[in-house]
Amino acid sequence: MASIYLDNAATTPLYPGLANDMCEMMSRHYGNPSSIHAYGRQSKTIIEASRKQVAQYLGAALSEVFFTSSATESNNTVLYNAVLHFQVKHIIYSAIEHPCVINTAKYLASRGWVTLHQVQVNEQGIVSMHNLIETLVRIPSNEKSLVSIMHANNEIGTLQDLKQIGDICKTYDALFHSDCVQTFGKIPLYLQSLHIHFLSASAHKFHGPKGVGILYINKNNQINPLIYGGSQERNMRAGTENLMGIFGLGKALEWNLLHQREHQLHLNMLKEYFIQNVIAHINGCYINGSTHPQESMNHIVNVSFPASPKSELLVFNLDIAGVAVSSASACSAGIEKDSHVLEAIHHSPDRNAVRFSFSPFNTLDELKKTISILNKIF
Ligand code: PLP
């Protein structure tokens, strides 16, 4: 039986050797990073090495990088603070944001603290700049707004133009937050050329450990903590640091950057092969989102299959055949329905969408096997 993992947008395996390095680090360095003795200082040095790694990648200052438990926490921190600390009265987000942005924004609105504005995307999942400007123009000039638009979408891979969005936010004096979970470490993300105030990422999406996230906060926008207690993370996030996670995050980023070019070439090749072959072999299927390399991440391919009993059970059948993928639908009250992302791009509800997502560890041979398994299923 094949054993093929094509769900790398959900999470990625640790890169080879990292688990050992993490275990060794953890058994050798157990001092509390807040302690002033040598044990504590060694642990603190490990955390600061990871912070330096992240800061250099982003072109940011060390003081602008914070470690959290997840991108979910980072995104929550930004949205809460925008409202409670910056007196933001309007949150503008795209129709395809991750639930941890949408649901946080909805909660803040349900308390009457903020008005929400959803920006539309086109059928490829690209945010409408026209609609974004229209929305910003309508906001009274004495009321502050936060724009939260993700870099790449986790279901369809569509990539947004952060430079253009940042420039629009600058023109209308809006704060700009981007959830960069699906791009961080994979492609260059140099913030010096971008007008961006907050950015979130998560180590487990780039071959690092689960349970550790990143929050970049531009130095002109210091915020209040979401979690209160001790003075960890320069009073921004209390609680003894996840030393092993932060170590693993820094190492994973270093590994990604070292191999970025070769990973990109490999993923381009995998994506091109998969798209060409799935379309050639499976009757009536098409790709959701953009397939243009400039508008789409190369580790995600979302395929729409014609509705049939076979395609309804496709994720299940692929799993039985040893191929792990995700469906892009959510089960609500026992009824399968398209996700909010698929609805936003007007995906036909009588088709079944499946997300195949790759990592540099996937091989052409694995994709050939997957195509052959799909052929057998249909
Ligand atoms: N944002 C995006 C785009 C994601 O893909 C995910 C994870 O699926 C998250 C946020 C949440 O990340 P975490 O698992 O670190 O909370």
Side-chain angles (χ1 to χ4, degrees):
M1 191 180 83
S3 178
I4 303 172
Y5 184 75
L6 301 181
D7 199 19
N8 291 279
T11 195
T12 56
L14 298 180
Y15 77 81
L18 181 58
N20 279 347
D21 289 352
M22 283 169 60
C23 287
E24 198 197 315
M25 189 286 301
M26 189 171 61
S27 47
R28 284 182 49 206
H29 299 288
Y30 46 85
N32 187 321
S34 298
S35 302
I36 55 168
H37 48 61
Y39 293 86
R41 290 200 308 276
Q42 278 169 0
S43 297
K44 186 86 179 158
T45 305
I46 289 166
I47 292 177
E48 293 316 309
S50 289
R51 200 185 312 281
K52 191 168 171 195
Q53 192 71 247
V54 175
Q56 277 178 350
Y57 167 61
L58 292 176
L62 291 171
S63 59
E64 294 175 311
V65 176
F66 300 89
F67 295 115
T68 62
S69 68
S70 58
T72 297
E73 184 191 322
S74 302
N75 288 341
N76 270 262
T77 305
V78 171
L79 267 64
Y80 265 85
N81 267 278
V83 174
L84 300 178
H85 191 59
F86 292 116
Q87 285 80 46
V88 156
K89 293 280 177 252
H90 301 267
I91 295 181
I92 300 163
Y93 60 96
S94 84
I96 59 170
E97 292 306 304
H98 191 270
C100 67
V101 166
I102 296 182
N103 292 340
T104 309
K106 283 186 177 165
Y107 172 72
L108 295 167
S110 76
R111 301 299 308 262
W113 294 334
V114 75
T115 305
L116 303 186
H117 308 262
Q118 204 180 72
V119 178
Q120 297 316 310
V121 295
N122 68 14
E123 297 206 339
Q124 272 75 49
I126 306 287
V127 166
S128 161
M129 297 301 150
H130 178 70
N131 194 202
L132 174 61
I133 294 172
E134 259 180 2
T135 309
L136 284 161
V137 165
R138 281 203 308 270
I139 289 173
S141 56
N142 60 341
E143 293 185 6
K144 286 196 90 166
S145 47
L146 171 81
V147 172
S148 182
I149 294 180
M150 68 200 327
H151 196 189
N153 181 266
N154 48 302
E155 287 186 33
I156 54 174
T158 311
L159 204 49
Q160 310 298 338
D161 184 342
L162 294 189
K163 170 89 180 100
Q164 200 181 0
I165 298 170
D167 289 348
I168 293 171
C169 291
K170 189 173 182 184
T171 305
Y172 293 95
D173 199 23
L175 291 168
F176 179 29
H177 162 243
S178 186
D179 173 341
C180 293
V181 164
Q182 294 292 341
T183 53
F184 191 97
K186 295 182 164 71
I187 55 175
L189 252 182
Y190 193 64
L191 300 186
Q192 295 294 316
S193 55
L194 300 175
H195 179 78
I196 193 163
H197 301 95
F198 311 106
L199 174 153
S200 323
S202 186
H204 74 98
K205 306 288 180 168
F206 56 92
H207 306 284
K210 292 166 183 53
V212 55
I214 294 166
L215 173 55
Y216 160 85
I217 306 174
N218 176 280
K219 59 180 168 296
N220 302 321
N221 295 282
Q222 284 313 313
I223 63 178
N224 286 340
L226 185 65
I227 294 173
Y228 286 88
S231 60
Q232 291 90 352
E233 293 296 284
R234 299 183 308 291
N235 293 310
M236 252 300 300
R237 185 187 186 269
T240 301
E241 296 89 337
N242 173 3
L243 182 61
M244 184 167 79
I246 295 171
F247 167 81
L249 181 153
K251 288 298 222 187
L253 180 58
E254 185 182 8
W255 176 81
N256 276 275
L257 299 182
L258 203 62
H259 302 284
Q260 203 172 67
R261 178 95 189 113
E262 71 193 77
H263 287 172
Q264 285 307 308
L265 293 173
H266 185 67
L267 289 167
N268 286 343
M269 183 271 293
L270 292 181
K271 181 165 180 173
E272 203 180 312
Y273 172 86
F274 194 75
I275 289 179
Q276 273 177 11
N277 282 276
V278 79
I279 287 174
H281 288 90
I282 312 297
N283 260 343
C285 73
Y286 59 78
I287 308 303
N288 291 310
S290 175
T291 51
H292 194 288
Q294 236 93 62
E295 293 176 349
S296 171
M297 280 303 279
N298 49 14
H299 67 292
I300 298 178
V301 179
N302 190 304
V303 187
S304 222
F305 295 92
S308 71
K310 288 172 189 168
S311 71
E312 268 161 33
L313 293 174
L314 193 52
V315 175
F316 181 66
N317 284 331
L318 283 170
D319 186 33
I320 290 174
V323 183
V325 297
S326 273
S327 90
S329 56
C331 191
S332 174
I335 300 164
E336 281 283 314
K337 80 187 248 305
D338 271 356
S339 69
H340 67 290
V341 175
L342 293 177
E343 277 178 2
I345 61 169
H346 306 299
H347 179 254
S348 167
D350 58 5
R351 299 179 67 90
N352 291 305
V354 172
R355 177 185 70 186
F356 299 83
S357 53
F358 315 130
S359 87
F361 300 123
N362 289 124
T363 62
L364 195 56
D365 194 47
E366 287 181 324
L367 297 199
K368 284 182 183 162
K369 283 190 183 133
T370 304
I371 296 287
S372 138
I373 290 166
L374 282 169
N375 252 327
K376 279 188 203 138
I377 292 174
F378 283 97

